[in-house]
Amino acid sequence: MRILLAGGAGYIGSHTALALLKAGHDVVIVDNYCNSSPEAVRRVEELAGRSVEVFEADVRNPSAVLKSMTDKPVDGVIHFAGLKAVGESVRMPLAYYRNNIDTTLTLLECMGQAGIKNIVFSSSATVYGEEAPVPYLESMPRGRCSNPYGWTKSMMEQILEDAALADHELSVVLLRYFNPVGAHESGRIGEDPLGTPNNLMPYISQVAVGRRDLLTVFGGDYPTPDGTCRRDYIHVMDLAEGHVKAVEYGAGRTGVDVFNLGAGVPYSVLQMIRAFEAASGVSVKYVIGDRRAGDLPEFWADAKKASRVLGWQTSRTLEDMCRDAWNWQKNNPMGYPKS
């Protein structure tokens, strides 16, 4: 199949592009590089030994998106295009609503014009809301989100569901991620956030490599075993392989399906720091700070449905996640080269 990746030059998108290419699919990427690098795409091509067609454009631009879908026929779309930082969304809610919802509407409108009926959406576990019991199950309703980022994901899921109700030929797969970490084992592609990292693992890595002085742990008084937040961390290559399974599953189907992509095991912030130190042999300096707005104490996945229906499950360990994250960071201390 020929798969269009909206926002495909980013962290998860680039790893998924590589997984798709390795699985024999063709890849076309639409990305404006607002939080990514063209170097990531070049390295994906290097690792795969195959080329990727790239349209440098904002996914909110209908003419550019339609061109990417119709220059050569596209069989499916994976939607990664969106702003994704919880804390930033609390500070900049309008930017999140404008960007994330607009990209979704534009993709669906252009898919309609191009006759494309298969879309996989990069959603999030945050749609389960503030009060859902753990572990999260796909059968649970969407809940009250704790931040604007989460609300955009919840709203986009609703938009996609409504689109599928209106178009009975449309196939929608909603992938609810937990916490992607790590990098490709080669160390050639990885997570390279612009500015100060909003996620834990790249911050740990940047402290370890000497790029930042110390890590501030947001809150040490949560109702968890060691007082720090617990999350379900998943290796980014396991996540990428889940997208391959999902877009293949969606081909020729109709309606909406939802899958959790997580490991099903929660780790605290302090456990992650210790695991990274063990994998890297480097001490990570940290302090305990105030809680961060929008953070929940803990959550993790029940991912049995993905195993049963998609034939997907995680195969990489916490040690693998930390080792590969460090391999990427030590070989690319400042991330991708900046042009």
Side-chain angles (χ1 to χ4, degrees), residues 4-18 27-44 52-57 59 78 80-81 84 189-192 328 336:
L4 185 146
L5 306 187
Y11 173 45
I12 301 169
S14 60
H15 288 78
T16 300
L18 179 57
V27 171
V28 55
I29 288 174
V30 181
D31 203 303
N32 64 357
Y33 303 123
C34 73
N35 193 26
S36 59
S37 169
E39 177 64 15
V41 180
R42 192 191 69 76
R43 294 188 186 187
V44 164
V52 173
E53 186 173 3
V54 180
F55 291 82
E56 184 175 351
V59 176
I78 304 181
F80 298 108
K84 62 178 185 177
I189 58 172
E191 189 168 10
D192 182 25
W328 152 257
Y336 293 113

Side-chain angles (χ1 to χ4, degrees), residues 159-300:
I159 290 167
L160 286 156
E161 288 174 359
D162 290 342
L165 280 174
D167 181 354
H168 293 167
E169 295 181 355
L170 189 63
S171 170
V172 173
V173 177
L174 308 175
L175 296 182
R176 292 176 178 167
Y177 304 170
F178 283 69
N179 288 67
V181 296
H184 187 259
E185 62 183 8
S186 67
R188 294 292 289 157
I189 58 172
E191 189 168 10
D192 182 25
L194 298 180
T196 303
N198 290 292
N199 297 324
L200 177 63
M201 184 60 83
Y203 212 119
I204 291 175
S205 300
Q206 289 187 14
V207 171
V209 84
R211 188 169 164 182
R212 302 193 182 276
D213 293 333
L214 57 81
L215 167 72
T216 298
V217 176
F218 295 117
D221 60 348
Y222 283 98
T224 59
D226 64 17
T228 64
C229 291
R230 297 204 303 168
R231 296 289 183 265
D232 184 340
Y233 294 93
I234 175 175
H235 196 292
V236 67
M237 285 308 301
D238 279 332
L239 184 63
E241 289 160 7
H243 287 78
V244 177
K245 295 283 190 181
V247 77
E248 291 173 345
Y249 171 80
R253 299 180 64 86
T254 60
V256 180
D257 218 333
V258 184
F259 297 98
N260 288 335
L261 295 187
V265 180
Y267 293 101
S268 73
V269 175
L270 294 184
Q271 284 178 304
M272 293 298 291
I273 293 171
R274 296 186 190 108
F276 186 90
E277 289 177 330
S280 67
V282 178
S283 178
V284 176
K285 186 177 180 181
Y286 70 90
V287 296
I288 304 293
D290 295 333
R291 293 187 181 191
R292 180 173 61 178
D295 278 342
L296 298 178
E298 60 182 1
F299 56 82
W300 63 93

